[in-house]
Amino acid sequence: MKRIRYTKYNGELAGDMDLEDLMQQLSDYLLDSGFQDPLSRFQELNGEHTLENLREALRQALEYGQFEQDIRDKLDQMAADGEIEQLIDQLLDRMEQQDYIRTDRSDDSSRMSGSPGEVGEGESSARFEVTDKSLDFLGYKTLQDLLGSLGRASQGRHDTSHQATGVETNGSTRPYEFGDTLNLDANATLAAAMAAQAANSNGDGVTWPIEVDYPHLHVQQSDYQSSCATVVMLDCSHSMILYGEDRFTPAKRVAMALSHLIRTQYPGDTLNVVLFHDSAEEVPVSQIARVKVGPHYTNTREGLRLARSILNRQRKEMRQIVMITDGKPSALTLPDGRIYKNAFGLDPLVLSETLEEVARCRRAGILINTFMLASDPGLVQFVQRVSAMCKGKAYFTTPQTLGNYLMMDFLSRKMKTVH
């Protein structure tokens, strides 16, 4: 059971700093995907989650990060007095107490050598783990940024073109049918009863009392809202961090934001994550931020097969696959378990088996929306065929605009293709 320890406020800078702001400034380090960005101040840390690397990341965040002026003045004074290391120790303790990180520093003594004259591994090998609280916060911040750029946040569940009887009405009515929610429209019901009585009165008009019978009942209609099962397919082949651009970290951020949105605004929905590279595997949503790029090839067919298997277990009215990729299919899992690979062009065997899996998704009623992070002609042709087969949408976008397009698609549900 998590305990909270209360201490006397002593006015120290470590207690005045906003940890959420600090976590946001460390996000590039905490969400590292293996891309060596020459412009990143964390590039030399290689994404390794050791305490020594975290200390260095904190040191650089304190030195170059954006803080309010009074905090910046105090930081500059502490740097001049040589007290930054003490501040980092206090921040580490506070981050651990508030469950932003978990460390194994308590085990350091067991790893220290007991032989005289030998140096143990010490803190340089001690590791830390980013907690689910931190990852959820980073997902929330990403979602906040994305919805802010869209101009408004959409609340509620997924609207459809269908109508049903419910609590929130849309102004229209219809005759009552057995099984409807009895959300009675009194005016329409009385009008129907009066019209029926007048028709049967032989010219005497409406007389009192008015008899309301079963055929006269009218109910108010509301917009029918459905639940949705979504599988996000993330391409984690090595090309996602090649060619001088990190495409995988933005994809992870969007998946984290989508997870936060679904959990908080669409509680009836489900979200699963599938990584595909030489093969494919499902990972828990809570582990998205910790994933790095994998092998070189792109086994799209295996990713679709696994995603379809997951969705077939979901009893939802709407089922969809959101595929984020930057490469054409270049690998295939053979019936005997071996991986067939061919990175040169669109291999006919790989292409045919992948499109057959797309056809299986279509027959299962699964929509495939594809978000492309590249514009290779062969890749564009493949995506267009996938979209045509599944009546899905293809978004040709960039790592910078991926989140906007994906959120607009998820929130608006408008059937259109963005080029």
Side-chain angles (χ1 to χ4, degrees), residues 174-319:
R174 65 170 174 80
Y176 172 80
E177 297 177 1
F178 180 77
D180 285 343
T181 301
L182 195 58
N183 192 16
L184 199 65
D185 186 328
N187 292 335
T189 299
L190 288 175
M194 293 170 64
Q197 185 169 327
N200 296 327
S201 64
N202 297 323
D204 295 335
V206 178
T207 60
W208 299 94
I210 299 174
E211 296 184 1
V212 178
D213 202 357
Y214 181 87
H216 307 146
L217 298 179
H218 281 65
V219 290
Q220 294 178 330
Q221 294 193 100
S222 62
D223 292 327
Y224 179 78
Q225 296 174 327
S226 65
S227 59
C228 180
T230 302
V231 170
V232 175
M233 281 179 52
L234 288 179
D235 182 352
C236 65
S237 61
H238 207 62
S239 63
M240 293 287 278
I241 60 168
L242 291 180
Y243 314 116
E245 186 176 46
D246 182 4
R247 300 169 177 176
F248 192 56
T249 301
K252 289 199 301 183
R253 290 181 185 271
V254 171
M256 292 167 60
L258 188 60
S259 170
H260 188 90
L261 176 67
I262 287 176
R263 193 181 68 258
T264 57
Q265 300 296 332
Y266 303 97
D269 286 14
T270 62
L271 177 69
N272 299 81
V273 178
V274 168
L275 304 178
F276 64 106
H277 38 84
D278 285 5
S279 184
E281 69 271 351
E282 181 183 4
V283 297
V285 175
S286 61
Q287 299 296 317
I288 296 176
R290 303 180 177 99
V291 174
K292 296 190 177 184
V293 292
H296 294 77
Y297 294 86
T298 308
N299 195 338
T300 308
R301 186 251 192 182
E302 189 65 14
L304 289 171
R305 185 199 63 79
L306 180 55
R308 178 172 59 86
S309 175
I310 294 171
L311 290 175
N312 282 339
R313 300 194 298 264
Q314 303 284 349
R315 296 184 178 180
K316 302 292 183 182
E317 295 167 316
M318 299 169 60
R319 296 181 297 171

Side-chain angles (χ1 to χ4, degrees), residues 36-334:
Q36 297 299 312
D37 185 359
L39 301 179
S40 172
R41 59 176 179 259
F42 305 121
Q43 62 168 325
E44 297 179 357
L45 304 181
N46 297 320
E48 291 295 327
H49 283 190
T50 64
L51 277 179
E52 186 58 38
N53 278 358
L54 180 57
R55 292 179 65 88
E56 179 59 29
L58 279 170
R59 190 177 296 112
Q60 296 188 29
L62 294 175
E63 182 176 356
Y64 302 108
Q66 298 180 353
F67 298 96
E68 295 180 0
Q69 189 57 46
D70 59 333
I71 298 291
R72 171 51 61 194
D73 292 341
K74 292 180 181 179
L75 286 173
D76 293 341
Q77 183 61 44
M78 294 188 74
D81 297 340
E83 298 176 352
I84 288 295
E85 294 302 319
Q86 179 183 354
L87 174 62
I88 291 175
D89 288 335
Q90 295 170 346
L91 288 173
L92 285 174
D93 289 339
R94 189 170 168 225
M95 290 167 67
E96 188 169 9
Q97 290 172 10
Q98 297 194 18
D99 200 33
Y100 283 100
I101 61 171
R102 283 190 294 268
T103 69
D104 61 356
R105 285 184 294 179
S106 59
D107 299 332
D108 287 348
S109 58
S110 64
R111 292 197 303 264
M112 297 291 289
S113 173
S115 302
E118 294 184 8
V119 179
E121 296 177 343
E123 190 178 79
S124 62
S125 63
R127 301 186 65 82
F128 74 94
E129 179 183 0
V130 183
T131 64
D132 292 342
K133 175 182 176 179
S134 292
L135 300 181
D136 186 58
F137 165 72
L138 294 176
Y140 163 74
K141 290 295 292 183
T142 303
L143 177 63
Q144 192 178 49
D145 293 341
L146 292 175
L147 293 183
S149 65
L150 295 180
R152 62 182 175 86
S154 186
Q155 302 289 332
R157 293 176 173 80
H158 307 288
D159 293 330
T160 70
S161 58
H162 306 290
Q163 293 181 332
T165 55
V167 176
E168 296 183 5
T169 65
N170 61 11
S172 60
T173 63
R174 65 170 174 80
Y176 172 80
E177 297 177 1
F178 180 77
D180 285 343
T181 301
L182 195 58
N183 192 16
L184 199 65
D185 186 328
N187 292 335
T189 299
L190 288 175
M194 293 170 64
Q197 185 169 327
N200 296 327
S201 64
N202 297 323
D204 295 335
V206 178
T207 60
W208 299 94
I210 299 174
E211 296 184 1
V212 178
D213 202 357
Y214 181 87
H216 307 146
L217 298 179
H218 281 65
V219 290
Q220 294 178 330
Q221 294 193 100
S222 62
D223 292 327
Y224 179 78
Q225 296 174 327
S226 65
S227 59
C228 180
T230 302
V231 170
V232 175
M233 281 179 52
L234 288 179
D235 182 352
C236 65
S237 61
H238 207 62
S239 63
M240 293 287 278
I241 60 168
L242 291 180
Y243 314 116
E245 186 176 46
D246 182 4
R247 300 169 177 176
F248 192 56
T249 301
K252 289 199 301 183
R253 290 181 185 271
V254 171
M256 292 167 60
L258 188 60
S259 170
H260 188 90
L261 176 67
I262 287 176
R263 193 181 68 258
T264 57
Q265 300 296 332
Y266 303 97
D269 286 14
T270 62
L271 177 69
N272 299 81
V273 178
V274 168
L275 304 178
F276 64 106
H277 38 84
D278 285 5
S279 184
E281 69 271 351
E282 181 183 4
V283 297
V285 175
S286 61
Q287 299 296 317
I288 296 176
R290 303 180 177 99
V291 174
K292 296 190 177 184
V293 292
H296 294 77
Y297 294 86
T298 308
N299 195 338
T300 308
R301 186 251 192 182
E302 189 65 14
L304 289 171
R305 185 199 63 79
L306 180 55
R308 178 172 59 86
S309 175
I310 294 171
L311 290 175
N312 282 339
R313 300 194 298 264
Q314 303 284 349
R315 296 184 178 180
K316 302 292 183 182
E317 295 167 316
M318 299 169 60
R319 296 181 297 171
Q320 68 169 350
I321 294 173
V322 175
M323 180 167 63
I324 303 174
T325 183
D326 74 334
K328 55 186 177 294
S330 58
L332 178 69
T333 302
L334 300 175

